[in-house]
Short mmCIF file of all heavy atoms in Angstrom, two decimals:
data_model
loop_
_atom_site.label_atom_id
_atom_site.label_comp_id
_atom_site.label_asym_id
_atom_site.label_seq_id
_atom_site.Cartn_x
_atom_site.Cartn_y
_atom_site.Cartn_z
N MET A 514 -92.61 88.29 8.67
CA MET A 514 -94.03 88.11 8.86
C MET A 514 -94.54 89.25 9.71
O MET A 514 -93.89 89.70 10.63
CB MET A 514 -94.27 86.78 9.56
CG MET A 514 -95.71 86.38 9.71
SD MET A 514 -96.38 86.81 11.30
CE MET A 514 -98.08 86.46 11.00
N THR A 515 -95.70 89.70 9.39
CA THR A 515 -96.33 90.73 10.19
C THR A 515 -97.60 90.19 10.80
O THR A 515 -98.13 89.18 10.36
CB THR A 515 -96.67 91.97 9.34
OG1 THR A 515 -97.57 91.58 8.31
CG2 THR A 515 -95.44 92.59 8.73
N GLY A 516 -98.08 90.86 11.81
CA GLY A 516 -99.32 90.47 12.43
C GLY A 516 -100.51 90.97 11.63
O GLY A 516 -100.38 91.50 10.53
N ILE A 517 -101.68 90.84 12.18
CA ILE A 517 -102.93 91.19 11.53
C ILE A 517 -102.98 92.69 11.20
O ILE A 517 -103.40 93.08 10.12
CB ILE A 517 -104.11 90.82 12.45
CG1 ILE A 517 -104.08 89.33 12.75
CG2 ILE A 517 -105.44 91.22 11.84
CD1 ILE A 517 -104.90 88.93 13.96
N LEU A 518 -102.57 93.53 12.12
CA LEU A 518 -102.67 94.97 11.97
C LEU A 518 -101.45 95.61 11.32
O LEU A 518 -101.45 96.80 11.06
CB LEU A 518 -102.86 95.63 13.34
CG LEU A 518 -104.08 95.23 14.14
CD1 LEU A 518 -104.04 95.89 15.51
CD2 LEU A 518 -105.35 95.63 13.41
N ASP A 519 -100.41 94.83 11.12
CA ASP A 519 -99.14 95.34 10.60
C ASP A 519 -98.51 96.32 11.59
O ASP A 519 -97.78 97.22 11.20
CB ASP A 519 -99.34 96.00 9.24
CG ASP A 519 -98.04 96.13 8.46
OD1 ASP A 519 -97.16 95.27 8.64
OD2 ASP A 519 -97.89 97.10 7.70
N LYS A 520 -98.81 96.15 12.87
CA LYS A 520 -98.21 96.99 13.91
C LYS A 520 -96.91 96.37 14.43
O LYS A 520 -96.07 97.05 14.98
CB LYS A 520 -99.16 97.17 15.10
CG LYS A 520 -100.46 97.86 14.77
CD LYS A 520 -100.28 99.35 14.68
CE LYS A 520 -101.61 100.03 14.47
NZ LYS A 520 -101.50 101.46 14.45
N PHE A 521 -96.79 95.05 14.27
CA PHE A 521 -95.64 94.31 14.77
C PHE A 521 -95.02 93.49 13.65
O PHE A 521 -95.67 93.16 12.67
CB PHE A 521 -96.05 93.37 15.91
CG PHE A 521 -96.72 94.06 17.05
CD1 PHE A 521 -98.09 94.01 17.20
CD2 PHE A 521 -95.99 94.79 17.98
CE1 PHE A 521 -98.73 94.65 18.25
CE2 PHE A 521 -96.62 95.44 19.03
CZ PHE A 521 -97.99 95.36 19.16
N HIS A 522 -93.76 93.17 13.81
CA HIS A 522 -93.02 92.39 12.82
C HIS A 522 -92.20 91.34 13.55
O HIS A 522 -91.57 91.63 14.57
CB HIS A 522 -92.10 93.32 12.03
CG HIS A 522 -91.17 92.61 11.11
ND1 HIS A 522 -91.58 92.00 9.95
CD2 HIS A 522 -89.84 92.39 11.20
CE1 HIS A 522 -90.53 91.45 9.37
NE2 HIS A 522 -89.47 91.68 10.10
N VAL A 523 -92.24 90.12 13.05
CA VAL A 523 -91.42 89.05 13.61
C VAL A 523 -90.12 88.98 12.82
O VAL A 523 -90.14 88.89 11.59
CB VAL A 523 -92.14 87.68 13.55
CG1 VAL A 523 -91.22 86.57 14.00
CG2 VAL A 523 -93.39 87.71 14.42
N GLU A 524 -89.02 89.05 13.54
CA GLU A 524 -87.70 88.97 12.93
C GLU A 524 -87.04 87.72 13.47
O GLU A 524 -87.14 87.42 14.66
CB GLU A 524 -86.90 90.22 13.30
CG GLU A 524 -85.50 90.24 12.75
CD GLU A 524 -84.78 91.53 13.13
OE1 GLU A 524 -85.07 92.56 12.51
OE2 GLU A 524 -83.96 91.48 14.06
N HIS A 525 -86.37 86.97 12.59
CA HIS A 525 -85.68 85.77 13.07
C HIS A 525 -84.34 85.64 12.39
O HIS A 525 -84.15 86.12 11.28
CB HIS A 525 -86.54 84.53 12.86
CG HIS A 525 -87.03 84.35 11.46
ND1 HIS A 525 -86.31 83.71 10.49
CD2 HIS A 525 -88.17 84.76 10.87
CE1 HIS A 525 -86.99 83.71 9.36
NE2 HIS A 525 -88.13 84.35 9.56
N GLY A 526 -83.43 85.02 13.10
CA GLY A 526 -82.08 84.83 12.60
C GLY A 526 -81.38 83.78 13.41
O GLY A 526 -82.01 82.96 14.08
N ILE A 527 -80.07 83.80 13.39
CA ILE A 527 -79.30 82.77 14.08
C ILE A 527 -79.44 82.83 15.60
O ILE A 527 -79.19 81.84 16.28
CB ILE A 527 -77.81 82.81 13.68
CG1 ILE A 527 -77.18 84.13 14.09
CG2 ILE A 527 -77.64 82.54 12.20
CD1 ILE A 527 -75.67 84.16 13.92
N HIS A 528 -79.85 83.96 16.13
CA HIS A 528 -79.98 84.11 17.57
C HIS A 528 -81.39 83.82 18.07
O HIS A 528 -81.65 83.93 19.26
CB HIS A 528 -79.56 85.52 18.00
CG HIS A 528 -78.14 85.83 17.66
ND1 HIS A 528 -77.07 85.20 18.26
CD2 HIS A 528 -77.61 86.69 16.76
CE1 HIS A 528 -75.94 85.66 17.75
NE2 HIS A 528 -76.24 86.57 16.83
N GLY A 529 -82.32 83.49 17.17
CA GLY A 529 -83.69 83.21 17.57
C GLY A 529 -84.67 84.15 16.89
O GLY A 529 -84.38 84.73 15.85
N ALA A 530 -85.84 84.28 17.49
CA ALA A 530 -86.90 85.13 16.92
C ALA A 530 -87.28 86.20 17.92
O ALA A 530 -87.20 85.99 19.13
CB ALA A 530 -88.10 84.26 16.57
N ARG A 531 -87.72 87.35 17.40
CA ARG A 531 -88.16 88.43 18.27
C ARG A 531 -89.24 89.24 17.57
O ARG A 531 -89.39 89.19 16.36
CB ARG A 531 -87.00 89.33 18.67
CG ARG A 531 -86.37 90.08 17.52
CD ARG A 531 -85.21 90.91 18.01
NE ARG A 531 -84.55 91.58 16.88
CZ ARG A 531 -83.60 92.44 17.03
NH1 ARG A 531 -83.17 92.77 18.23
NH2 ARG A 531 -83.05 93.01 16.00
N VAL A 532 -89.99 89.98 18.36
CA VAL A 532 -91.05 90.85 17.84
C VAL A 532 -90.59 92.29 17.95
O VAL A 532 -90.09 92.71 18.99
CB VAL A 532 -92.37 90.67 18.65
CG1 VAL A 532 -93.42 91.66 18.19
CG2 VAL A 532 -92.89 89.26 18.52
N LEU A 533 -90.78 93.03 16.87
CA LEU A 533 -90.45 94.45 16.84
C LEU A 533 -91.73 95.23 16.54
O LEU A 533 -92.56 94.80 15.75
CB LEU A 533 -89.43 94.74 15.73
CG LEU A 533 -88.10 94.00 15.84
CD1 LEU A 533 -87.29 94.21 14.57
CD2 LEU A 533 -87.34 94.48 17.05
N ALA A 534 -91.87 96.38 17.20
CA ALA A 534 -92.99 97.27 16.89
C ALA A 534 -92.63 98.08 15.66
O ALA A 534 -91.54 98.62 15.57
CB ALA A 534 -93.29 98.18 18.07
N ARG A 535 -93.54 98.16 14.71
CA ARG A 535 -93.30 98.92 13.49
C ARG A 535 -93.53 100.42 13.70
O ARG A 535 -93.07 101.24 12.94
CB ARG A 535 -94.22 98.45 12.38
CG ARG A 535 -93.88 97.12 11.82
CD ARG A 535 -94.78 96.83 10.62
NE ARG A 535 -94.42 95.61 9.97
CZ ARG A 535 -93.56 95.52 8.97
NH1 ARG A 535 -92.97 96.60 8.51
NH2 ARG A 535 -93.29 94.37 8.42
N THR A 536 -94.29 100.77 14.72
CA THR A 536 -94.67 102.16 14.93
C THR A 536 -94.76 102.45 16.41
O THR A 536 -94.91 101.54 17.22
CB THR A 536 -96.05 102.43 14.26
OG1 THR A 536 -96.40 103.78 14.49
CG2 THR A 536 -97.13 101.54 14.80
N GLN A 537 -94.65 103.70 16.76
CA GLN A 537 -94.82 104.08 18.17
C GLN A 537 -96.30 104.21 18.52
O GLN A 537 -96.68 104.05 19.66
CB GLN A 537 -94.11 105.39 18.45
CG GLN A 537 -92.61 105.25 18.40
CD GLN A 537 -91.90 106.56 18.73
OE1 GLN A 537 -92.52 107.61 18.85
NE2 GLN A 537 -90.59 106.49 18.87
N GLN A 538 -97.13 104.52 17.53
CA GLN A 538 -98.57 104.64 17.77
C GLN A 538 -99.22 103.28 17.57
O GLN A 538 -99.28 102.77 16.46
CB GLN A 538 -99.21 105.65 16.82
CG GLN A 538 -100.71 105.77 17.03
CD GLN A 538 -101.36 106.72 16.06
OE1 GLN A 538 -100.72 107.61 15.52
NE2 GLN A 538 -102.63 106.53 15.83
N LEU A 539 -99.68 102.69 18.65
CA LEU A 539 -100.28 101.36 18.57
C LEU A 539 -101.79 101.41 18.52
O LEU A 539 -102.43 100.40 18.22
CB LEU A 539 -99.82 100.51 19.75
CG LEU A 539 -98.31 100.22 19.78
CD1 LEU A 539 -97.93 99.44 21.02
CD2 LEU A 539 -97.88 99.48 18.53
N SER A 540 -102.39 102.55 18.82
CA SER A 540 -103.85 102.67 18.71
C SER A 540 -104.21 104.11 18.37
O SER A 540 -103.40 105.02 18.51
CB SER A 540 -104.53 102.26 20.02
OG SER A 540 -104.32 103.25 21.01
N ALA A 541 -105.44 104.27 17.95
CA ALA A 541 -105.97 105.61 17.71
C ALA A 541 -106.42 106.19 19.05
O ALA A 541 -106.41 105.50 20.07
CB ALA A 541 -107.15 105.53 16.74
N PHE A 542 -106.80 107.46 19.06
CA PHE A 542 -107.37 108.05 20.27
C PHE A 542 -108.71 107.38 20.55
O PHE A 542 -109.53 107.24 19.65
CB PHE A 542 -107.56 109.56 20.11
CG PHE A 542 -106.27 110.32 20.11
CD1 PHE A 542 -105.78 110.87 18.94
CD2 PHE A 542 -105.55 110.48 21.28
CE1 PHE A 542 -104.59 111.58 18.94
CE2 PHE A 542 -104.35 111.20 21.28
CZ PHE A 542 -103.87 111.74 20.11
N CYS A 543 -108.92 106.97 21.77
CA CYS A 543 -110.17 106.30 22.16
C CYS A 543 -110.93 107.20 23.13
O CYS A 543 -110.34 107.80 24.02
CB CYS A 543 -109.88 104.97 22.84
SG CYS A 543 -109.00 103.80 21.79
N THR A 544 -112.24 107.28 22.93
CA THR A 544 -113.06 108.13 23.80
C THR A 544 -114.11 107.34 24.56
O THR A 544 -114.77 107.89 25.44
CB THR A 544 -113.77 109.21 22.97
OG1 THR A 544 -114.57 108.58 21.97
CG2 THR A 544 -112.75 110.16 22.33
N GLU A 545 -114.26 106.06 24.24
CA GLU A 545 -115.26 105.22 24.90
C GLU A 545 -114.60 103.94 25.39
O GLU A 545 -113.66 103.44 24.77
CB GLU A 545 -116.38 104.85 23.91
CG GLU A 545 -117.15 106.03 23.35
CD GLU A 545 -118.01 106.70 24.41
OE1 GLU A 545 -118.54 105.98 25.28
OE2 GLU A 545 -118.15 107.93 24.36
N PRO A 546 -115.09 103.39 26.50
CA PRO A 546 -114.54 102.14 27.00
C PRO A 546 -114.57 101.01 25.97
O PRO A 546 -113.63 100.22 25.88
CB PRO A 546 -115.42 101.81 28.20
CG PRO A 546 -115.94 103.12 28.67
CD PRO A 546 -116.11 103.94 27.41
N GLY A 547 -115.62 100.94 25.16
CA GLY A 547 -115.71 99.90 24.13
C GLY A 547 -114.62 100.04 23.07
O GLY A 547 -114.11 99.04 22.57
N GLU A 548 -114.30 101.27 22.73
CA GLU A 548 -113.23 101.52 21.76
C GLU A 548 -111.89 101.05 22.32
O GLU A 548 -111.07 100.46 21.61
CB GLU A 548 -113.13 103.01 21.44
CG GLU A 548 -114.24 103.56 20.59
CD GLU A 548 -114.08 105.05 20.36
OE1 GLU A 548 -113.84 105.78 21.34
OE2 GLU A 548 -114.18 105.47 19.20
N ILE A 549 -111.68 101.32 23.61
CA ILE A 549 -110.43 100.89 24.26
C ILE A 549 -110.33 99.37 24.24
O ILE A 549 -109.30 98.81 23.86
CB ILE A 549 -110.36 101.44 25.70
CG1 ILE A 549 -110.26 102.96 25.67
CG2 ILE A 549 -109.18 100.82 26.46
CD1 ILE A 549 -110.48 103.61 27.02
N ASP A 550 -111.41 98.71 24.64
CA ASP A 550 -111.40 97.24 24.67
C ASP A 550 -111.14 96.67 23.27
O ASP A 550 -110.36 95.73 23.11
CB ASP A 550 -112.74 96.71 25.21
CG ASP A 550 -112.94 97.01 26.68
OD1 ASP A 550 -111.93 97.26 27.39
OD2 ASP A 550 -114.10 96.98 27.13
N GLY A 551 -111.79 97.25 22.26
CA GLY A 551 -111.59 96.77 20.90
C GLY A 551 -110.17 96.98 20.40
O GLY A 551 -109.58 96.08 19.79
N ALA A 552 -109.61 98.15 20.66
CA ALA A 552 -108.25 98.45 20.21
C ALA A 552 -107.23 97.54 20.88
O ALA A 552 -106.32 97.02 20.23
CB ALA A 552 -107.91 99.91 20.51
N ILE A 553 -107.39 97.33 22.18
CA ILE A 553 -106.46 96.47 22.90
C ILE A 553 -106.61 95.01 22.48
O ILE A 553 -105.62 94.28 22.34
CB ILE A 553 -106.64 96.63 24.43
CG1 ILE A 553 -106.32 98.06 24.85
CG2 ILE A 553 -105.77 95.63 25.19
CD1 ILE A 553 -104.95 98.58 24.45
N GLN A 554 -107.85 94.57 22.23
CA GLN A 554 -108.06 93.20 21.77
C GLN A 554 -107.41 92.97 20.41
O GLN A 554 -106.80 91.92 20.18
CB GLN A 554 -109.56 92.86 21.70
CG GLN A 554 -109.82 91.39 21.38
CD GLN A 554 -109.21 90.46 22.42
OE1 GLN A 554 -109.44 90.62 23.61
NE2 GLN A 554 -108.44 89.50 21.96
N LEU A 555 -107.48 93.94 19.51
CA LEU A 555 -106.81 93.81 18.22
C LEU A 555 -105.30 93.70 18.39
O LEU A 555 -104.65 92.91 17.70
CB LEU A 555 -107.15 95.00 17.32
CG LEU A 555 -108.55 95.00 16.70
CD1 LEU A 555 -108.80 96.30 15.97
CD2 LEU A 555 -108.70 93.82 15.75
N LEU A 556 -104.74 94.47 19.31
CA LEU A 556 -103.30 94.38 19.57
C LEU A 556 -102.93 93.01 20.14
O LEU A 556 -101.92 92.42 19.77
CB LEU A 556 -102.84 95.50 20.51
CG LEU A 556 -102.89 96.90 19.92
CD1 LEU A 556 -102.63 97.94 21.01
CD2 LEU A 556 -101.88 97.04 18.79
N LYS A 557 -103.77 92.51 21.04
CA LYS A 557 -103.53 91.17 21.60
C LYS A 557 -103.58 90.11 20.50
O LYS A 557 -102.74 89.20 20.46
CB LYS A 557 -104.57 90.84 22.68
CG LYS A 557 -104.39 91.62 23.96
CD LYS A 557 -105.50 91.25 24.94
CE LYS A 557 -105.40 92.01 26.23
NZ LYS A 557 -106.50 91.67 27.16
N ASP A 558 -104.58 90.22 19.61
CA ASP A 558 -104.68 89.27 18.50
C ASP A 558 -103.46 89.36 17.60
O ASP A 558 -102.96 88.35 17.10
CB ASP A 558 -105.95 89.53 17.70
CG ASP A 558 -107.23 89.23 18.47
OD1 ASP A 558 -107.16 88.54 19.52
OD2 ASP A 558 -108.30 89.70 18.03
N ASP A 559 -102.99 90.58 17.37
CA ASP A 559 -101.81 90.79 16.55
C ASP A 559 -100.58 90.14 17.18
O ASP A 559 -99.80 89.47 16.50
CB ASP A 559 -101.59 92.30 16.39
CG ASP A 559 -100.88 92.67 15.11
OD1 ASP A 559 -101.01 91.93 14.11
OD2 ASP A 559 -100.20 93.71 15.10
N LEU A 560 -100.41 90.31 18.48
CA LEU A 560 -99.28 89.69 19.17
C LEU A 560 -99.41 88.17 19.20
O LEU A 560 -98.41 87.46 19.10
CB LEU A 560 -99.15 90.25 20.59
CG LEU A 560 -98.55 91.65 20.67
CD1 LEU A 560 -98.68 92.21 22.08
CD2 LEU A 560 -97.09 91.64 20.24
N ASP A 561 -100.63 87.67 19.33
CA ASP A 561 -100.84 86.22 19.27
C ASP A 561 -100.41 85.66 17.92
O ASP A 561 -99.80 84.60 17.84
CB ASP A 561 -102.29 85.86 19.55
CG ASP A 561 -102.67 85.99 21.01
OD1 ASP A 561 -101.76 86.03 21.88
OD2 ASP A 561 -103.88 86.05 21.30
N ALA A 562 -100.72 86.38 16.83
CA ALA A 562 -100.30 85.96 15.49
C ALA A 562 -98.77 85.96 15.40
O ALA A 562 -98.18 85.05 14.81
CB ALA A 562 -100.91 86.87 14.43
N CYS A 563 -98.14 86.95 15.99
CA CYS A 563 -96.68 87.00 16.00
C CYS A 563 -96.10 85.84 16.80
O CYS A 563 -95.10 85.23 16.40
CB CYS A 563 -96.19 88.33 16.57
SG CYS A 563 -96.50 89.75 15.49
N ALA A 564 -96.73 85.50 17.91
CA ALA A 564 -96.26 84.38 18.74
C ALA A 564 -96.35 83.07 17.96
O ALA A 564 -95.43 82.25 18.01
CB ALA A 564 -97.07 84.29 20.02
N ARG A 565 -97.44 82.87 17.22
CA ARG A 565 -97.57 81.66 16.41
C ARG A 565 -96.46 81.59 15.36
O ARG A 565 -95.88 80.54 15.11
CB ARG A 565 -98.94 81.60 15.75
CG ARG A 565 -100.06 81.26 16.71
CD ARG A 565 -101.37 80.96 15.99
NE ARG A 565 -101.88 82.12 15.25
CZ ARG A 565 -102.63 83.08 15.76
NH1 ARG A 565 -102.98 83.03 17.04
NH2 ARG A 565 -103.05 84.07 15.01
N GLU A 566 -96.16 82.73 14.74
CA GLU A 566 -95.09 82.76 13.73
C GLU A 566 -93.74 82.48 14.37
O GLU A 566 -92.93 81.74 13.80
CB GLU A 566 -95.09 84.11 13.02
CG GLU A 566 -93.95 84.30 12.05
CD GLU A 566 -93.98 83.37 10.84
OE1 GLU A 566 -94.97 82.64 10.65
OE2 GLU A 566 -93.01 83.38 10.09
N MET A 567 -93.48 83.06 15.53
CA MET A 567 -92.21 82.81 16.21
C MET A 567 -92.06 81.33 16.54
O MET A 567 -90.99 80.75 16.33
CB MET A 567 -92.12 83.64 17.49
CG MET A 567 -92.00 85.13 17.25
SD MET A 567 -92.09 86.08 18.78
CE MET A 567 -90.44 85.80 19.41
N LYS A 568 -93.11 80.71 17.04
CA LYS A 568 -93.07 79.28 17.38
C LYS A 568 -92.87 78.43 16.14
O LYS A 568 -92.14 77.44 16.16
CB LYS A 568 -94.34 78.88 18.11
CG LYS A 568 -94.43 79.46 19.50
CD LYS A 568 -95.76 79.15 20.14
CE LYS A 568 -95.88 79.83 21.50
NZ LYS A 568 -97.21 79.59 22.09
N ARG A 569 -93.50 78.83 15.02
CA ARG A 569 -93.34 78.09 13.77
C ARG A 569 -91.88 78.15 13.30
O ARG A 569 -91.31 77.14 12.90
CB ARG A 569 -94.26 78.69 12.70
CG ARG A 569 -94.27 77.91 11.39
CD ARG A 569 -95.04 78.65 10.32
NE ARG A 569 -94.33 79.84 9.86
CZ ARG A 569 -93.31 79.82 9.00
NH1 ARG A 569 -92.88 78.69 8.51
NH2 ARG A 569 -92.73 80.94 8.63
N VAL A 570 -91.28 79.32 13.37
CA VAL A 570 -89.89 79.48 12.93
C VAL A 570 -88.95 78.68 13.82
O VAL A 570 -88.05 78.01 13.33
CB VAL A 570 -89.50 80.98 12.91
CG1 VAL A 570 -88.01 81.17 12.74
CG2 VAL A 570 -90.26 81.70 11.82
N ILE A 571 -89.17 78.74 15.12
CA ILE A 571 -88.31 77.98 16.05
C ILE A 571 -88.43 76.49 15.78
O ILE A 571 -87.44 75.76 15.78
CB ILE A 571 -88.69 78.32 17.52
CG1 ILE A 571 -88.41 79.78 17.84
CG2 ILE A 571 -87.98 77.39 18.49
CD1 ILE A 571 -86.96 80.19 17.72
N GLU A 572 -89.65 76.02 15.52
CA GLU A 572 -89.84 74.59 15.23
C GLU A 572 -89.14 74.20 13.94
O GLU A 572 -88.48 73.17 13.87
CB GLU A 572 -91.33 74.28 15.12
CG GLU A 572 -91.59 72.81 14.89
CD GLU A 572 -93.07 72.47 14.79
OE1 GLU A 572 -93.88 73.17 15.39
OE2 GLU A 572 -93.38 71.51 14.08
N LEU A 573 -89.25 75.04 12.91
CA LEU A 573 -88.55 74.76 11.65
C LEU A 573 -87.04 74.70 11.85
O LEU A 573 -86.37 73.83 11.31
CB LEU A 573 -88.88 75.82 10.60
CG LEU A 573 -90.22 75.70 9.90
CD1 LEU A 573 -90.43 76.90 8.98
CD2 LEU A 573 -90.31 74.42 9.12
N ASN A 574 -86.52 75.63 12.63
CA ASN A 574 -85.08 75.67 12.87
C ASN A 574 -84.60 74.46 13.67
O ASN A 574 -83.47 74.03 13.51
CB ASN A 574 -84.69 76.95 13.59
CG ASN A 574 -84.79 78.17 12.70
OD1 ASN A 574 -84.84 78.05 11.48
ND2 ASN A 574 -84.84 79.34 13.30
N SER A 575 -85.44 73.91 14.51
CA SER A 575 -85.02 72.78 15.34
C SER A 575 -85.12 71.45 14.61
O SER A 575 -84.59 70.45 15.08
CB SER A 575 -85.85 72.72 16.62
OG SER A 575 -87.19 72.38 16.32
N ARG A 576 -85.77 71.42 13.45
CA ARG A 576 -85.93 70.17 12.69
C ARG A 576 -84.63 69.72 12.06
O ARG A 576 -84.46 68.54 11.79
CB ARG A 576 -86.97 70.34 11.61
CG ARG A 576 -88.37 70.33 12.13
CD ARG A 576 -89.34 70.33 10.98
NE ARG A 576 -90.67 70.60 11.47
CZ ARG A 576 -91.68 70.93 10.70
NH1 ARG A 576 -91.50 71.06 9.40
NH2 ARG A 576 -92.85 71.16 11.21
N GLY A 577 -83.76 70.62 11.72
CA GLY A 577 -82.50 70.23 11.09
C GLY A 577 -82.54 70.46 9.60
O GLY A 577 -83.01 71.48 9.12
N ALA A 578 -82.08 69.46 8.85
CA ALA A 578 -81.93 69.59 7.39
C ALA A 578 -83.28 69.80 6.71
O ALA A 578 -84.28 69.20 7.08
CB ALA A 578 -81.25 68.35 6.83
N LEU A 579 -83.28 70.64 5.69
CA LEU A 579 -84.50 70.91 4.93
C LEU A 579 -84.65 69.95 3.74
O LEU A 579 -85.73 69.77 3.22
CB LEU A 579 -84.49 72.35 4.42
CG LEU A 579 -84.53 73.43 5.48
CD1 LEU A 579 -84.43 74.80 4.81
CD2 LEU A 579 -85.82 73.35 6.28
N PHE A 580 -83.56 69.34 3.32
CA PHE A 580 -83.60 68.47 2.15
C PHE A 580 -83.17 67.06 2.55
O PHE A 580 -82.24 66.86 3.31
CB PHE A 580 -82.67 69.00 1.06
CG PHE A 580 -83.04 70.38 0.60
CD1 PHE A 580 -82.36 71.49 1.06
CD2 PHE A 580 -84.10 70.55 -0.28
CE1 PHE A 580 -82.71 72.76 0.65
CE2 PHE A 580 -84.46 71.84 -0.69
CZ PHE A 580 -83.77 72.93 -0.24
N GLU A 581 -83.87 66.08 1.99
CA GLU A 581 -83.55 64.69 2.27
C GLU A 581 -82.13 64.40 1.82
O GLU A 581 -81.71 64.82 0.74
CB GLU A 581 -84.53 63.79 1.52
CG GLU A 581 -84.42 62.33 1.90
CD GLU A 581 -85.48 61.49 1.24
OE1 GLU A 581 -86.54 62.04 0.89
OE2 GLU A 581 -85.23 60.30 1.07
N GLY A 582 -81.39 63.71 2.63
CA GLY A 582 -80.02 63.39 2.31
C GLY A 582 -79.00 64.32 2.94
O GLY A 582 -77.83 63.99 3.01
N TRP A 583 -79.45 65.47 3.39
CA TRP A 583 -78.54 66.37 4.10
C TRP A 583 -78.53 65.99 5.56
O TRP A 583 -79.56 65.72 6.15
CB TRP A 583 -78.99 67.82 3.95
CG TRP A 583 -78.75 68.40 2.59
CD1 TRP A 583 -78.45 67.73 1.45
CD2 TRP A 583 -78.82 69.78 2.26
NE1 TRP A 583 -78.33 68.60 0.40
CE2 TRP A 583 -78.54 69.87 0.86
CE3 TRP A 583 -79.07 70.93 2.96
CZ2 TRP A 583 -78.52 71.07 0.18
CZ3 TRP A 583 -79.05 72.13 2.26
CH2 TRP A 583 -78.77 72.18 0.90
N ALA A 584 -77.38 66.02 6.14
CA ALA A 584 -77.26 65.65 7.55
C ALA A 584 -77.90 66.74 8.42
O ALA A 584 -77.66 67.92 8.23
CB ALA A 584 -75.80 65.49 7.92
N ALA A 585 -78.70 66.30 9.37
CA ALA A 585 -79.28 67.24 10.34
C ALA A 585 -78.34 67.35 11.51
O ALA A 585 -77.68 66.39 11.90
CB ALA A 585 -80.64 66.72 10.80
N ASP A 586 -78.26 68.54 12.09
CA ASP A 586 -77.43 68.73 13.28
C ASP A 586 -78.09 68.02 14.46
O ASP A 586 -79.24 68.30 14.79
CB ASP A 586 -77.27 70.21 13.62
CG ASP A 586 -76.44 70.94 12.59
OD1 ASP A 586 -75.65 70.26 11.90
OD2 ASP A 586 -76.56 72.16 12.47
N VAL A 587 -77.38 67.12 15.07
CA VAL A 587 -77.91 66.40 16.22
C VAL A 587 -77.22 66.93 17.46
O VAL A 587 -76.01 67.00 17.52
CB VAL A 587 -77.65 64.87 16.10
CG1 VAL A 587 -78.17 64.16 17.31
CG2 VAL A 587 -78.28 64.34 14.83
N GLN A 588 -78.01 67.36 18.42
CA GLN A 588 -77.42 67.94 19.63
C GLN A 588 -77.80 67.17 20.83
O GLN A 588 -78.74 66.52 20.98
CB GLN A 588 -77.88 69.39 19.78
CG GLN A 588 -77.40 70.23 18.66
CD GLN A 588 -77.90 71.66 18.77
OE1 GLN A 588 -78.62 72.03 19.69
NE2 GLN A 588 -77.49 72.49 17.84
#
């Protein structure tokens, strides 16, 4: 899953979930305070989307079996 801007990527596996940056350039050159605020807000929104995806994946993994009749791991 990627965030809104496609600047970040959520990766998940047996060890959990993590966010990776797809690029080293996270914003364009900004010359005005409003541009800076807008660029940073978009990055925050992107990371928030990644956080929601990470939480969704963790919740799915903690539910156990995906199919009825399969034993869920009880810990």
